[in-house]
């Protein structure tokens, strides 16, 4: 859906670029801004991520969108929002800000390499590189006079995790995000639909600051494997980008996936938001396609749109097992590339421990399982030994 879209006539090539820029989104705010820019120069756009929990499979969704934006010739900036992570209920302690920002950059670059896109027009920017400057602080104070406390807290209500009464940090968070658009010198911002209130605040406020209004691209949120939102804080809802194939298969096998139920289906969301766009990027003609086996058919059927897949699933022509097999195969392929990069990068491996010292790295899960099995074996051996001793004592007592 797009609002404020004008009737600017574009060349066929620019229409193709606009379609690619706005593909697979839930909403486009001020699409007219994008259409006005495309005939003149590349669109400048950014996507930001607070460097909090360990990135998981849902991050492949913005990665696919970034790949599409690069394919459309956009100049893309990725904001590593380290200070936003610090403000968000202290999800990123100050002592870990540097390590987590570096970890996130490693992850995002590996994801985009897995997709196979040209990263020459991609730039990574650390939020703290400009958000701590005197000029930014001055503009933040100016902005605080133009935004009410109510509007600021409302804008962050679906982004920031608030425990009890909102803190001042909850209101500062979205106002810094508004200024990010100006300091990153972009025409548009791409983010999740949970940021819509912040984007709406930007549309209402930036002109009051003497800044230009930007377009906003809203990506839908990916349902978790157990229902609800996929979240770093809920291990049951997510697949970590460093999970091994066996772990991925196990998690997908247990995923919430009701036959015929499309809404809230995390497996279908992975196919729609990750695997279909990925197939289009790899296709010579840019058209998506995916093979899924229908019930009672030995050969897989080619699907070219998500609507075809959703309709077939809703009609029970496709089983949960069939779409789980497709999701598993696709994710294992993408994540194997990411994990190969991780295995070859000693700095990244060290960062994993430094950035998340209290978490067991996914790549160590097999070792953890082996240690647990060894502990259980020793306990069993001890129990057997005690039983034998007790039996011996009992027999000896009977002999006396």
């Amino acid at each position: 859906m797009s609002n404020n879209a004008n009737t600017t006539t574009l060349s066929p090539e620019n229409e193709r670029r606009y379609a690619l820029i706005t593909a697979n989104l839930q909403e486009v705010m001020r699409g007219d801004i994008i259409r006005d820019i495309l005939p003149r120069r590349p669109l400048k756009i950014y996507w930001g991520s607070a460097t909090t929990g360990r990135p998981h499979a849902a991050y492949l969704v913005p990665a696919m969108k970034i790949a599409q934006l690069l394919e459309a010739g956009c100049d893309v900036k990725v904001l590593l929002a380290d200070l936003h992570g610090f403000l968000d209920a202290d999800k990123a302690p100050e002592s870990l800000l540097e390590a987590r920002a570096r970890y996130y950059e490693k992850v995002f670059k590996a994801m985009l390499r897995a997709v196979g896109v040209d990263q020459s027009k991609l730039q990574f920017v650390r939020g703290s590189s400009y958000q701590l400057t005197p000029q930014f602080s001055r503009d933040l104070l100016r902005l605080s006079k133009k935004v009410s406390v109510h509007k600021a807290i409302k804008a962050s209500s679906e982004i920031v995790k608030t425990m009890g009464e909102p803190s001042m940090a909850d209101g500062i968070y979205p106002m810094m995000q508004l200024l990010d658009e100006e300091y990153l010198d972009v025409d548009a911002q791409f983010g999740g639909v949970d940021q819509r209130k912040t984007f709406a605040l930007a549309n209402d406020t930036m002109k009051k600051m003497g800044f230009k209004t930007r377009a906003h691209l809203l990506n839908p949120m990916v349902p978790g494997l157990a229902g609800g939102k996929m979240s770093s804080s809920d291990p049951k809802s997510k697949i970590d980008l460093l999970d091994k194939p066996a772990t991925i298969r196990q998690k997908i096998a247990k995923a919430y996936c009701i036959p015929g139920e499309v809404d809230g289906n995390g497996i279908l969301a992975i196919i729609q938001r990750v695997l279909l766009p990925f197939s289009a990027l790899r296709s010579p003609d840019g058209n998506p396609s995916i093979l899924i086996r229908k019930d009672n058919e030995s050969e897989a059927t080619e699907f070219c749109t998500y609507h075809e897949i959703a309709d077939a699933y809703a009609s029970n022509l496709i089983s949960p097992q069939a779409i789980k097999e497709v999701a598993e195969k696709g994710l294992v392929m993408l994540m194997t590339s990411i994990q190969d990069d991780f295995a070859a990068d000693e700095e990244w491996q060290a960062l994993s421990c430094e950035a998340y010292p209290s978490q067991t790295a996914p790549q160590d899960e097999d070792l953890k399982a082996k240690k647990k099995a060894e502990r259980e074996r020793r306990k069993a051996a001890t129990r057997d030994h005690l039983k034998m001793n007790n039996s011996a004592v009992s027999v000896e007592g009977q002999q006396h």
Side-chain angles (χ1 to χ4, degrees), residues 296-359:
N296 303 319
E297 291 188 8
S298 57
E299 298 294 327
T301 300
E302 182 180 28
F303 292 88
C304 297
T305 69
Y306 175 70
H307 292 298
E308 294 174 350
I309 298 172
D311 288 345
Y313 188 79
S315 301
N316 290 309
L317 298 176
I318 300 174
S319 68
Q321 183 59 33
I323 62 171
K324 285 184 176 183
E325 289 175 0
V326 170
E328 173 198 311
K329 182 179 179 181
L331 288 179
V332 167
M333 178 179 62
L334 283 167
M335 292 187 188
T336 296
S337 173
I338 297 170
Q339 292 163 17
D340 287 345
D341 283 354
F342 179 81
D345 191 334
E346 292 183 0
E347 180 186 358
W348 188 1
Q349 295 169 33
L351 277 173
S352 179
C353 299
E354 185 181 350
Y356 301 97
S358 63
Q359 297 183 22

Side-chain angles (χ1 to χ4, degrees), residues 374-391:
E374 177 63 18
R375 287 196 301 269
E376 294 297 328
R377 187 191 67 78
R378 289 178 180 177
K379 287 180 181 178
T382 300
R383 286 195 298 269
D384 291 343
H385 180 71
L386 290 173
K387 287 180 180 178
M388 291 177 63
N389 286 345
N390 289 338
S391 297

Side-chain angles (χ1 to χ4, degrees), residues 182-380:
E182 180 69 19
Y183 277 76
L184 291 171
D185 186 28
V186 295
D187 309 305
Q189 181 180 174
F190 162 57
V193 71
D194 58 341
Q195 300 184 61
R196 194 186 191 287
K197 292 175 182 177
T198 299
F199 294 163
L201 182 63
N203 283 339
D204 294 340
T205 308
M206 295 302 276
K207 281 188 176 180
K208 298 176 183 177
M209 291 284 293
F211 301 146
K212 69 179 184 181
T213 300
R214 273 76 178 185
H216 295 97
L217 310 181
L218 284 74
N219 200 67
M221 306 307 292
V222 177
L225 299 180
K229 175 184 172 183
M230 190 174 290
S231 171
S232 297
S233 60
D234 183 2
K236 294 181 180 180
S237 76
K238 68 169 185 172
I239 296 175
D240 195 285
L241 291 172
L242 296 179
D243 278 341
K244 289 190 174 183
T247 303
I248 294 173
R249 294 187 186 99
Q250 184 181 39
K251 289 183 177 180
I252 288 181
K254 295 180 179 179
Y256 177 84
C257 192
I258 304 299
E261 191 171 305
V262 174
D263 293 340
N265 190 315
I267 302 299
L268 284 176
I270 290 171
I271 293 174
Q272 179 187 15
R273 306 295 176 185
V274 178
L275 301 184
L276 277 173
F278 180 53
S279 71
L281 289 168
R282 298 179 69 194
S283 171
D285 59 8
N287 293 322
S289 66
I290 200 162
L291 296 174
I292 305 177
R293 186 178 57 81
K294 291 183 177 180
D295 282 359
N296 303 319
E297 291 188 8
S298 57
E299 298 294 327
T301 300
E302 182 180 28
F303 292 88
C304 297
T305 69
Y306 175 70
H307 292 298
E308 294 174 350
I309 298 172
D311 288 345
Y313 188 79
S315 301
N316 290 309
L317 298 176
I318 300 174
S319 68
Q321 183 59 33
I323 62 171
K324 285 184 176 183
E325 289 175 0
V326 170
E328 173 198 311
K329 182 179 179 181
L331 288 179
V332 167
M333 178 179 62
L334 283 167
M335 292 187 188
T336 296
S337 173
I338 297 170
Q339 292 163 17
D340 287 345
D341 283 354
F342 179 81
D345 191 334
E346 292 183 0
E347 180 186 358
W348 188 1
Q349 295 169 33
L351 277 173
S352 179
C353 299
E354 185 181 350
Y356 301 97
S358 63
Q359 297 183 22
T360 301
Q363 65 274 14
D364 293 333
E365 285 183 355
D366 288 349
L367 179 60
K368 182 179 177 182
K370 289 179 181 178
K371 288 183 177 180
K372 182 179 179 180
E374 177 63 18
R375 287 196 301 269
E376 294 297 328
R377 187 191 67 78
R378 289 178 180 177
K379 287 180 181 178

Side-chain angles (χ1 to χ4, degrees), residues 20 26 30 40 78 88 147 170 212 225 233 257 276 301 361 383:
L20 195 55
Q26 183 158 325
R30 295 303 305 271
R40 299 184 283 112
V78 173
D88 188 358
V147 178
D170 299 342
K212 69 179 184 181
L225 299 180
S233 60
C257 192
L276 277 173
T301 300
R383 286 195 298 269

Side-chain angles (χ1 to χ4, degrees), residues 31-48:
D32 57 304
I33 294 174
I34 300 173
R35 295 180 68 88
D36 181 61
I37 291 171
L38 288 180
R40 299 184 283 112
R41 58 173 174 79
L43 181 75
K44 296 184 292 184
I45 187 169
Y46 96 91
W47 173 73

